[in-house]
Amino acid sequence: MLFGKTLCLYRCYFLMQTLLDELAERTTQTQLGGGQKKIDDQHRKGKLTARERIAYLIDEGKPFVEIGLFTGAGLYAEHGGCPSGGVVVGIGYVSGRQCVIVANDATVKAGAWFPITAKKNLRAQEIAMENRLPIIYLVDSAGVYLPLQDEVFADKEHFGRTFRNNAHLSAMGILQVAAIMGSCVAGGAYLPIMSDEALIVDGTGSIFLAGPYLVKASIGEDVDAETLGGATTHTEISGVVDNKYPDDKSCLDAIKRIFDKIGHQQMAGFDRAEPVMPVKNPNDIYQILPADRVKPYDMGEIVDRLVDNSEFDVYKPGYGQSLLCGYARIDGWAVGIVANQRKVVKAKGRTGPGTPDRPSEMQMGGVIYGDAADKAARFIMNCNQKRIPLVFLQDVSGFMVGSRAEQGGIIKDGAKMVSAMANSVVPKFTVVIGNSYGAGNYAMCGKAYDPRLMLAWPTAQMAVMSGAAAAKTLLQIQVAAQKAKGQPMTSDEEKAQLNKITDQYNSQLSPYYAAARLWVDAIIDPLDTRKILSEGISAANHAPITKPFSVGVIQT
């Protein structure tokens, strides 16, 4: 028995370590952007890379939370790829002020905007608006990537939305500072000039609506880039830009001085005590999550290794046990936690042997039952009443199905939970620990429900349903279709088709598939969860809550 338990713990640890090694390898590769040759080209031009600019700008020793590192992974292969979406985004500190930083990566197609680049830039501006954080743009971009212009130019959430957001941010009183550190052409020229303050690096920075070649083609004028839109032109003749600087570092130093003098604004006032590390060893998380994702485990043991002093005040512990709700602190911040429970518990009201439809024991398995949804709705309301931020820990298979669940009103109970969660006015943060399937993703504050940060552990999986369930469902449809044509599949053909569908579906379950499309903001080591959630709540604390909480009309 002891040997078997030890072997199981080893398998769990080995799997997590393998996933963390993959995360580290992918991180190192992605941070190279367009590759070492392109990085060397930047240096030869006297320019820092996007990541070097950020590293120089941010306060030493302060956290920097990168958003969308794996954006674009596996996309646009026919165009040479677009690592990190060609732009580096994160939440950091400049002169002690928390802010959003956006830096075009000129090593990736000269910083051109792919469709996913636009999505990532809009996400950065969304974070700034939601949290009322100042935003810094380090501009070095060739503009829209023309071969994909139809996917990035004209729609509501395309390139132009960036400038609409520029205007809204400024009107909201949220500071925007732009540094033109390379190319800034065509429509992209509006981004720095619609910011509150615009700086430029002499000799490498340039800004114009049309470059020399287009000017020649359009009006026949021969003009060089520096005369057309260089630093001297725009600081001494047109007045478009405020100040010029001789190199990247002096320009970044100027931004630091700007941020050093920003006035302070009203805060939301979320409660924070002196941070305390968990009593239970956070490293144990690596052994708690089972290698076999259908096996049960106690989510409470995960929570105890994330919260301060391992203290968790559970809300209604004996009711609705498929969801774990309660109050705690994370790095000092008071939070309300809603987490999927996956352990085996004794069914309420049952003390003797069970029957198939009413077992004496129930494996929660990440399924949300009606009573749990009802409990969570009330808990979310309480957190809004108390102005306590919400943290959702997802390992969810979906809502309970079947005739008993339907007759018990599972849809009504689920709707109550979704309504309370969707209308929450306190900030929400979501961490996908394991499964994130179907309507469970929605109820547990998936991306569609505006979490301030959506994080994933390397163990995360996101889809409508599990790979095995989806493959069997799709196979049944194909088998029926073939049979209807009078061409039934053989058992070997069915097996081959099942394997093909399973492999394809499983590839889409990967957290990297989700991260590439910005369904999650970051894939993180579980041990970084406390730090990143703390930074997220700190950011949210800059935005006072002005909207009253109301769930509207719900079925009771």
Side-chain angles (χ1 to χ4, degrees), residues 9 79 127 207 243 277 390 488 505 511:
L9 290 174
H79 298 278
I127 291 170
I207 178 169
N243 284 295
M277 287 299 294
L390 284 158
Y505 201 88

Side-chain angles (χ1 to χ4, degrees), residues 40-105:
D40 293 340
D41 288 344
Q42 286 285 99
H43 292 162
R44 275 193 290 271
K45 294 174 184 176
K47 298 164 64 176
L48 300 174
T49 66
R51 293 186 180 279
E52 289 168 344
R53 287 166 178 165
I54 291 174
Y56 183 83
L57 178 64
I58 60 178
D59 294 350
E60 187 176 352
K62 285 280 194 174
F64 178 73
V65 177
E66 182 163 356
I67 304 297
L69 170 64
F70 299 113
T71 302
L75 304 180
Y76 315 116
E78 66 276 22
H79 298 278
C82 188
S84 280
V87 61
V88 183
V89 170
I91 303 171
Y93 292 82
V94 174
S95 298
R97 306 303 177 93
Q98 198 174 25
C99 60
V100 176
I101 303 172
V102 181
N104 298 115
D105 187 350

Side-chain angles (χ1 to χ4, degrees), residues 27 93 119 200 304 319 465-466:
T27 297
Y93 292 82
K119 186 174 182 179
I200 191 168
D304 285 347
Y319 178 70
M465 62 183 76
S466 70

